[in-house]
Every structure is written in structure tokens, then in C-alpha cells.
Amino acid sequence: MTKAILFGSIGTIIESSEIQRAAFNDAFKTFELDWHWDRDSYTSMLTASGGKDRVQTYAASRHQVVDADAIHAKKTALYRAALSNSHPEMRQGVPDVISHAQSTGCRLGFVTTTEKQTVDLIANSVGQKLGLTFDIVTFRMPSRPGKPDPAVYLDALARLEVAAQDAIAIEDNADGVTSAKSAGIQTIGFPGENTRADDLRAADCAAENDLLAALLDLRSTVTGPST
């Protein structure tokens, strides 16, 4: 029986990948770096989680030494400002899944390792639009490893008091899928505009057009027909 539905990243709720990419490029300009991440390059970087790690990896590939923490902090501030100004809509199917969870008594989680201020911004926006509060919201913590480590999912399950087999995760990147699957959670791959569906092949099923249908299909294969 599915008792919890866990959204695994900001990108599973809103489509913000291009806002993120623009914020990175603006941050590079601030630090006078001659870097520009085009869409194809950025898409190839999204197989791994962690913006700061992307900056460090990219700098190493160019044999440069940069302050990745400062660059990422600037990018995050620019990204939050852009989100606040643009008020992006939730991705197609997300409100339907949330409504389904509420009507069937499933608990809802937002299980991400993004910075707390950004997570709060998205969680509050969803709450205002749909009149709900997530049962659990996680964020980046220095004491807890990021994805693909399963720690954040294991923590969420423990706090929700839900067994892994009674939860379904929704993820939009390969590290997120690995994290959820390593915690023993059935996972839906939900690729965004800059995610290659093939990167999510380790997920139990894919939802490119109808997220609720994918959720119901996965629930039926795990627990039998949903009621």
C-alpha cells in the first residue's frame, strides 16, 4: 500500500532548468570568468546532482582554480530572485498527483538536497497555490551526504515512519533515481526540458506526458489495483 509520494527535486515540481542555467552564466560574468554553459553542455552536466560540484568539475576540466562556493552562492541568489520574479507554474501532472495523494491519504514529501531558502520558496509557492503543506521537506545539510547517496531518502522515510516499499519517489535526474532506488523506493523517472530520458533508465517507470498515469500504473504493479 502506497503511504507516501516523494518529490525528489525542484525540477520534479517546476520547470526551472533554463532559469538555473541562466543564473549560472550570470554568476560566471560576475566573477569575470569567460565561461558560458550552452544548453547542450548543461544538459550533459545534469546526470549528476550538485551545482557546486558542476562548477568544480568544469573548472578542473579547464585547469582553472576558482572559488566554487562563492560562484554557487551567487548563482543561487540570482536563481532565487529569478524564481520570485517569474512565478513559474507547476509542471504538468504535478497538481493531479498532489490531489490524488490528498484524496487517498498518501503523505507528501519534498525530498531534495538543495539550499533551504530555495526549497522553502518552492514549497511555500506550492502551498499557496494548492492549499497544502508537505508532510516533510528536506534540504542541503553539511552533515548529510548528497545524492546519489540514499541518506536523504532514508532520513525522510524514518521521519515519516513509512517503509521503503510503501513509498514512491519522483525524480528528474540520474543521481536522484540512484538515491531513491538505493533506499529501496520504487521510482518514477520524470524528465524535464533539459533531462535526457535515457539518463533515467534505472527508474522503475517513466512519465514523460502523464505523471498521474505513471503513478497509478506503478502503484498497481506494486500493490495491485489501487482503490
Side-chain angles (χ1 to χ4, degrees):
M1 177 181 177
T2 304
K3 297 180 180 178
I5 297 171
L6 309 174
F7 288 90
S9 70
I10 288 173
T12 61
I13 296 177
I14 64 169
E15 189 56 82
S16 66
S17 185
E18 281 297 281
I19 301 174
Q20 290 256 26
R21 185 173 70 87
F24 272 115
N25 285 328
D26 287 343
F28 301 153
K29 292 176 185 176
T30 299
F31 286 86
E32 300 182 345
L33 292 168
D34 62 341
W35 298 3
H36 178 81
W37 290 353
D38 61 27
R39 192 164 181 175
D40 287 342
S41 298
Y42 188 60
T43 295
S44 69
M45 297 176 190
L46 295 180
T47 55
S49 298
K52 185 178 75 173
D53 292 339
R54 290 183 203 122
V55 171
Q56 290 175 324
T57 299
Y58 188 74
S61 74
R62 295 171 62 93
H63 306 289
Q64 291 178 261
V65 176
V66 300
D67 188 340
D69 286 314
I71 294 170
H72 189 253
K74 181 63 177 178
K75 169 262 168 184
T76 299
L78 292 167
Y79 174 61
R80 281 201 295 265
L83 286 179
S84 297
N85 292 331
S86 62
H87 304 290
E89 294 296 319
M90 281 178 280
R91 290 186 62 187
Q92 183 176 356
V94 171
D96 293 334
V97 166
I98 290 174
S99 177
H100 173 76
Q102 292 176 305
S103 67
T104 57
C106 283
R107 305 186 77 184
L108 282 165
F110 188 13
V111 186
T112 176
T113 52
T114 301
E115 293 77 11
K116 185 177 186 302
Q117 285 180 289
T118 307
V119 174
D120 287 344
L121 179 66
I122 303 303
N124 292 338
S125 175
V126 172
Q128 290 170 5
K129 291 176 180 177
L130 299 181
L132 69 89
T133 301
F134 284 103
D135 294 293
I136 187 172
V137 176
T138 67
F139 48 85
R140 184 188 304 278
M141 294 178 63
S143 60
R144 182 174 59 206
K147 299 174 183 180
D149 191 284
V152 67
Y153 273 111
L154 293 173
D155 180 45
L157 292 171
R159 289 166 59 188
L160 287 170
E161 298 183 336
V162 170
Q165 63 265 29
D166 294 330
I168 291 176
I170 301 168
E171 280 286 1
D172 74 334
N173 63 81
D175 274 359
V177 171
T178 299
S179 176
K181 293 291 294 175
S182 296
I185 302 171
Q186 296 284 302
T187 307
I188 299 171
F190 190 33
E193 62 180 348
N194 284 344
T195 309
R196 295 175 300 206
D198 189 53
D199 293 334
L200 307 181
R201 60 187 176 276
D204 295 283
C205 67
E208 296 195 40
N209 298 312
D210 193 332
L211 181 59
L212 180 58
L215 175 72
L216 294 177
D217 285 347
L218 187 57
R219 288 188 70 176
S220 69
T221 61
V222 175
T223 63
S226 59
T227 58

